[in-house]
Short mmCIF file of all heavy atoms in Angstrom, two decimals:
data_model
loop_
_atom_site.label_atom_id
_atom_site.label_comp_id
_atom_site.label_asym_id
_atom_site.label_seq_id
_atom_site.Cartn_x
_atom_site.Cartn_y
_atom_site.Cartn_z
N SER A 1 -203.88 34.87 -28.80
CA SER A 1 -204.47 35.00 -27.48
C SER A 1 -204.06 33.80 -26.63
O SER A 1 -203.58 32.80 -27.15
CB SER A 1 -205.99 35.12 -27.54
OG SER A 1 -206.56 33.95 -28.10
N GLY A 2 -204.24 33.92 -25.32
CA GLY A 2 -204.00 32.80 -24.43
C GLY A 2 -202.79 32.92 -23.54
O GLY A 2 -202.59 32.08 -22.66
N GLY A 3 -201.96 33.93 -23.74
CA GLY A 3 -200.79 34.10 -22.91
C GLY A 3 -201.16 34.52 -21.50
O GLY A 3 -202.29 34.89 -21.22
N GLY A 4 -200.17 34.44 -20.61
CA GLY A 4 -200.41 34.82 -19.23
C GLY A 4 -199.23 34.53 -18.35
O GLY A 4 -198.15 34.16 -18.81
N LEU A 5 -199.45 34.68 -17.06
CA LEU A 5 -198.44 34.44 -16.04
C LEU A 5 -198.72 33.09 -15.39
O LEU A 5 -199.81 32.87 -14.85
CB LEU A 5 -198.48 35.55 -14.99
CG LEU A 5 -197.56 35.42 -13.79
CD1 LEU A 5 -196.10 35.42 -14.23
CD2 LEU A 5 -197.82 36.55 -12.81
N VAL A 6 -197.73 32.20 -15.45
CA VAL A 6 -197.90 30.85 -14.92
C VAL A 6 -196.66 30.43 -14.15
O VAL A 6 -195.60 31.06 -14.24
CB VAL A 6 -198.17 29.82 -16.03
CG1 VAL A 6 -199.46 30.15 -16.77
CG2 VAL A 6 -197.00 29.76 -17.00
N GLN A 7 -196.80 29.35 -13.41
CA GLN A 7 -195.66 28.78 -12.70
C GLN A 7 -195.01 27.69 -13.53
O GLN A 7 -195.64 27.07 -14.39
CB GLN A 7 -196.12 28.17 -11.36
CG GLN A 7 -196.36 29.16 -10.26
CD GLN A 7 -196.59 28.47 -8.93
OE1 GLN A 7 -197.65 27.90 -8.69
NE2 GLN A 7 -195.59 28.51 -8.07
N ALA A 8 -193.73 27.45 -13.28
CA ALA A 8 -193.03 26.36 -13.95
C ALA A 8 -193.78 25.06 -13.72
O ALA A 8 -194.23 24.77 -12.61
CB ALA A 8 -191.60 26.26 -13.43
N GLY A 9 -193.91 24.28 -14.80
CA GLY A 9 -194.65 23.04 -14.74
C GLY A 9 -196.09 23.16 -15.20
O GLY A 9 -196.73 22.14 -15.49
N ASP A 10 -196.60 24.37 -15.28
CA ASP A 10 -197.97 24.60 -15.73
C ASP A 10 -198.09 24.42 -17.23
O ASP A 10 -197.09 24.29 -17.95
CB ASP A 10 -198.43 26.00 -15.35
CG ASP A 10 -198.77 26.14 -13.89
OD1 ASP A 10 -198.74 25.13 -13.16
OD2 ASP A 10 -199.07 27.27 -13.46
N SER A 11 -199.32 24.45 -17.71
CA SER A 11 -199.61 24.36 -19.13
C SER A 11 -200.39 25.58 -19.59
O SER A 11 -201.13 26.20 -18.82
CB SER A 11 -200.42 23.10 -19.44
OG SER A 11 -199.69 21.93 -19.16
N LEU A 12 -200.22 25.92 -20.85
CA LEU A 12 -200.97 26.98 -21.50
C LEU A 12 -201.32 26.55 -22.92
O LEU A 12 -200.57 25.81 -23.54
CB LEU A 12 -200.18 28.29 -21.57
CG LEU A 12 -200.18 29.23 -20.38
CD1 LEU A 12 -199.28 30.42 -20.69
CD2 LEU A 12 -201.58 29.71 -20.05
N ARG A 13 -202.44 27.05 -23.39
CA ARG A 13 -202.83 26.81 -24.77
C ARG A 13 -203.03 28.16 -25.45
O ARG A 13 -203.92 28.92 -25.09
CB ARG A 13 -204.11 25.99 -24.85
CG ARG A 13 -204.46 25.52 -26.27
CD ARG A 13 -205.66 24.59 -26.25
NE ARG A 13 -206.00 24.09 -27.59
CZ ARG A 13 -205.46 23.02 -28.15
NH1 ARG A 13 -204.56 22.31 -27.48
NH2 ARG A 13 -205.83 22.65 -29.36
N LEU A 14 -202.18 28.42 -26.43
CA LEU A 14 -202.27 29.65 -27.20
C LEU A 14 -203.11 29.42 -28.44
O LEU A 14 -203.13 28.32 -28.99
CB LEU A 14 -200.88 30.15 -27.62
CG LEU A 14 -199.85 30.30 -26.51
CD1 LEU A 14 -198.55 30.83 -27.09
CD2 LEU A 14 -200.37 31.21 -25.41
N SER A 15 -203.79 30.46 -28.88
CA SER A 15 -204.62 30.38 -30.06
C SER A 15 -204.32 31.51 -31.01
O SER A 15 -204.06 32.64 -30.58
CB SER A 15 -206.10 30.40 -29.67
OG SER A 15 -206.94 30.28 -30.80
N CYS A 16 -204.34 31.23 -32.29
CA CYS A 16 -204.15 32.22 -33.34
C CYS A 16 -205.38 32.22 -34.23
O CYS A 16 -205.69 31.21 -34.86
CB CYS A 16 -202.90 31.89 -34.16
SG CYS A 16 -202.64 32.96 -35.60
N LEU A 17 -206.08 33.34 -34.24
CA LEU A 17 -207.25 33.48 -35.08
C LEU A 17 -206.83 34.05 -36.43
O LEU A 17 -206.19 35.11 -36.50
CB LEU A 17 -208.28 34.39 -34.42
CG LEU A 17 -209.57 34.64 -35.19
CD1 LEU A 17 -210.33 33.34 -35.40
CD2 LEU A 17 -210.44 35.66 -34.47
N VAL A 18 -207.19 33.34 -37.49
CA VAL A 18 -206.79 33.71 -38.85
C VAL A 18 -207.97 34.29 -39.60
O VAL A 18 -209.04 33.68 -39.66
CB VAL A 18 -206.25 32.48 -39.61
CG1 VAL A 18 -205.75 32.88 -40.99
CG2 VAL A 18 -205.15 31.79 -38.81
N SER A 19 -207.78 35.45 -40.17
CA SER A 19 -208.81 36.07 -41.00
C SER A 19 -208.20 36.52 -42.32
O SER A 19 -206.99 36.66 -42.44
CB SER A 19 -209.47 37.24 -40.28
OG SER A 19 -208.53 38.26 -39.99
N GLY A 20 -209.05 36.74 -43.30
CA GLY A 20 -208.58 37.15 -44.60
C GLY A 20 -208.37 35.96 -45.53
O GLY A 20 -208.73 34.83 -45.21
N PRO A 21 -207.76 36.21 -46.70
CA PRO A 21 -207.64 35.20 -47.75
C PRO A 21 -206.51 34.20 -47.51
O PRO A 21 -205.51 34.17 -48.24
CB PRO A 21 -207.40 36.03 -49.00
CG PRO A 21 -206.66 37.23 -48.50
CD PRO A 21 -207.26 37.52 -47.15
N ILE A 22 -206.65 33.37 -46.50
CA ILE A 22 -205.65 32.33 -46.23
C ILE A 22 -205.77 31.25 -47.30
O ILE A 22 -206.87 30.84 -47.69
CB ILE A 22 -205.83 31.74 -44.82
CG1 ILE A 22 -204.69 30.79 -44.49
CG2 ILE A 22 -207.18 31.05 -44.68
CD1 ILE A 22 -203.37 31.49 -44.26
N ASP A 23 -204.64 30.80 -47.78
CA ASP A 23 -204.59 29.82 -48.86
C ASP A 23 -204.30 28.44 -48.29
O ASP A 23 -203.60 28.29 -47.29
CB ASP A 23 -203.53 30.21 -49.88
CG ASP A 23 -203.63 29.43 -51.17
OD1 ASP A 23 -202.98 28.36 -51.26
OD2 ASP A 23 -204.33 29.88 -52.09
N SER A 24 -204.82 27.41 -48.95
CA SER A 24 -204.61 26.05 -48.50
C SER A 24 -203.15 25.62 -48.55
O SER A 24 -202.76 24.68 -47.87
CB SER A 24 -205.46 25.07 -49.32
OG SER A 24 -205.09 25.10 -50.68
N THR A 25 -202.35 26.30 -49.36
CA THR A 25 -200.93 25.98 -49.47
C THR A 25 -200.09 26.68 -48.40
O THR A 25 -198.88 26.45 -48.32
CB THR A 25 -200.39 26.35 -50.85
OG1 THR A 25 -200.54 27.76 -51.06
CG2 THR A 25 -201.15 25.60 -51.93
N SER A 26 -200.70 27.51 -47.58
CA SER A 26 -199.96 28.27 -46.58
C SER A 26 -199.46 27.38 -45.45
O SER A 26 -200.03 26.35 -45.13
CB SER A 26 -200.84 29.38 -46.01
OG SER A 26 -201.18 30.33 -47.00
N VAL A 27 -198.37 27.84 -44.85
CA VAL A 27 -197.84 27.23 -43.64
C VAL A 27 -198.03 28.21 -42.49
O VAL A 27 -197.68 29.39 -42.60
CB VAL A 27 -196.36 26.88 -43.79
CG1 VAL A 27 -195.79 26.37 -42.47
CG2 VAL A 27 -196.17 25.84 -44.88
N MET A 28 -198.59 27.73 -41.39
CA MET A 28 -198.78 28.52 -40.20
C MET A 28 -197.76 28.08 -39.16
O MET A 28 -197.46 26.89 -39.04
CB MET A 28 -200.19 28.36 -39.65
CG MET A 28 -201.29 28.61 -40.66
SD MET A 28 -201.30 30.31 -41.28
CE MET A 28 -201.56 31.21 -39.75
N ALA A 29 -197.27 29.04 -38.39
CA ALA A 29 -196.21 28.70 -37.44
C ALA A 29 -196.32 29.53 -36.16
O ALA A 29 -196.98 30.56 -36.12
CB ALA A 29 -194.83 28.92 -38.07
N TRP A 30 -195.66 29.03 -35.13
CA TRP A 30 -195.47 29.75 -33.89
C TRP A 30 -193.97 30.00 -33.69
O TRP A 30 -193.14 29.11 -33.90
CB TRP A 30 -196.00 28.96 -32.69
CG TRP A 30 -197.49 28.92 -32.62
CD1 TRP A 30 -198.31 27.95 -33.08
CD2 TRP A 30 -198.34 29.91 -32.03
NE1 TRP A 30 -199.62 28.26 -32.83
CE2 TRP A 30 -199.67 29.47 -32.17
CE3 TRP A 30 -198.10 31.14 -31.39
CZ2 TRP A 30 -200.76 30.21 -31.70
CZ3 TRP A 30 -199.18 31.87 -30.93
CH2 TRP A 30 -200.48 31.41 -31.08
N PHE A 31 -193.66 31.23 -33.29
CA PHE A 31 -192.29 31.62 -32.97
C PHE A 31 -192.24 32.15 -31.55
O PHE A 31 -193.22 32.70 -31.04
CB PHE A 31 -191.79 32.70 -33.94
CG PHE A 31 -191.31 32.17 -35.25
CD1 PHE A 31 -192.21 31.77 -36.22
CD2 PHE A 31 -189.96 32.08 -35.54
CE1 PHE A 31 -191.78 31.28 -37.44
CE2 PHE A 31 -189.51 31.61 -36.75
CZ PHE A 31 -190.41 31.20 -37.71
N HIS A 32 -191.09 32.01 -30.94
CA HIS A 32 -190.87 32.49 -29.58
C HIS A 32 -189.72 33.49 -29.58
O HIS A 32 -188.67 33.23 -30.17
CB HIS A 32 -190.51 31.31 -28.66
CG HIS A 32 -190.03 31.71 -27.31
ND1 HIS A 32 -188.83 31.28 -26.79
CD2 HIS A 32 -190.59 32.51 -26.36
CE1 HIS A 32 -188.67 31.77 -25.58
NE2 HIS A 32 -189.72 32.53 -25.29
N ARG A 33 -189.94 34.63 -28.93
CA ARG A 33 -188.89 35.62 -28.77
C ARG A 33 -188.62 35.84 -27.29
O ARG A 33 -189.43 36.45 -26.59
CB ARG A 33 -189.24 36.94 -29.45
CG ARG A 33 -188.09 37.94 -29.44
CD ARG A 33 -188.43 39.19 -30.21
NE ARG A 33 -189.44 39.98 -29.55
CZ ARG A 33 -190.05 41.03 -30.09
NH1 ARG A 33 -189.73 41.41 -31.32
NH2 ARG A 33 -190.97 41.68 -29.40
N ALA A 34 -187.50 35.31 -26.85
CA ALA A 34 -187.07 35.55 -25.48
C ALA A 34 -186.47 36.94 -25.38
O ALA A 34 -186.00 37.49 -26.38
CB ALA A 34 -186.04 34.49 -25.06
N PRO A 35 -186.48 37.53 -24.20
CA PRO A 35 -185.91 38.87 -24.04
C PRO A 35 -184.47 38.95 -24.54
O PRO A 35 -183.64 38.13 -24.18
CB PRO A 35 -185.99 39.11 -22.54
CG PRO A 35 -187.14 38.27 -22.09
CD PRO A 35 -187.07 37.03 -22.96
N GLY A 36 -184.20 39.92 -25.41
CA GLY A 36 -182.86 40.12 -25.92
C GLY A 36 -182.43 39.17 -27.00
O GLY A 36 -181.26 39.19 -27.40
N LYS A 37 -183.33 38.33 -27.51
CA LYS A 37 -182.97 37.36 -28.53
C LYS A 37 -183.87 37.48 -29.74
O LYS A 37 -184.92 38.14 -29.71
CB LYS A 37 -183.07 35.94 -27.97
CG LYS A 37 -182.23 35.70 -26.72
CD LYS A 37 -182.21 34.25 -26.30
CE LYS A 37 -181.39 33.40 -27.25
NZ LYS A 37 -181.25 32.00 -26.77
N ASP A 38 -183.45 36.85 -30.83
CA ASP A 38 -184.25 36.83 -32.05
C ASP A 38 -185.43 35.87 -31.90
O ASP A 38 -185.45 35.03 -31.00
CB ASP A 38 -183.41 36.40 -33.24
CG ASP A 38 -182.31 37.37 -33.60
OD1 ASP A 38 -182.47 38.57 -33.31
OD2 ASP A 38 -181.30 36.93 -34.18
N ARG A 39 -186.37 36.03 -32.77
CA ARG A 39 -187.48 35.09 -32.81
C ARG A 39 -186.97 33.70 -33.19
O ARG A 39 -186.17 33.56 -34.11
CB ARG A 39 -188.54 35.54 -33.82
CG ARG A 39 -189.34 36.74 -33.38
CD ARG A 39 -190.20 37.26 -34.51
NE ARG A 39 -191.05 38.37 -34.08
CZ ARG A 39 -191.77 39.10 -34.89
NH1 ARG A 39 -191.73 38.88 -36.20
NH2 ARG A 39 -192.52 40.09 -34.41
N GLU A 40 -187.45 32.70 -32.48
CA GLU A 40 -187.01 31.32 -32.67
C GLU A 40 -188.18 30.45 -33.09
O GLU A 40 -189.27 30.53 -32.50
CB GLU A 40 -186.39 30.79 -31.37
CG GLU A 40 -185.95 29.34 -31.44
CD GLU A 40 -185.48 28.83 -30.09
OE1 GLU A 40 -186.09 29.23 -29.06
OE2 GLU A 40 -184.51 28.06 -30.06
N PHE A 41 -187.96 29.62 -34.07
CA PHE A 41 -189.00 28.72 -34.55
C PHE A 41 -189.43 27.75 -33.48
O PHE A 41 -188.60 27.14 -32.80
CB PHE A 41 -188.49 27.95 -35.78
CG PHE A 41 -189.44 26.90 -36.27
CD1 PHE A 41 -190.55 27.24 -37.02
CD2 PHE A 41 -189.22 25.56 -36.00
CE1 PHE A 41 -191.43 26.29 -37.48
CE2 PHE A 41 -190.09 24.59 -36.45
CZ PHE A 41 -191.20 24.95 -37.20
#
């Protein structure tokens, strides 16, 4: 959650709510997919 329409120079804070059996050894990440491109770390 947290996405939206903003102007260049603005800030946004995205949030990921995790449910289920998440393990302490897990790695959580954010990826970005620009139009026409693969997901990028």
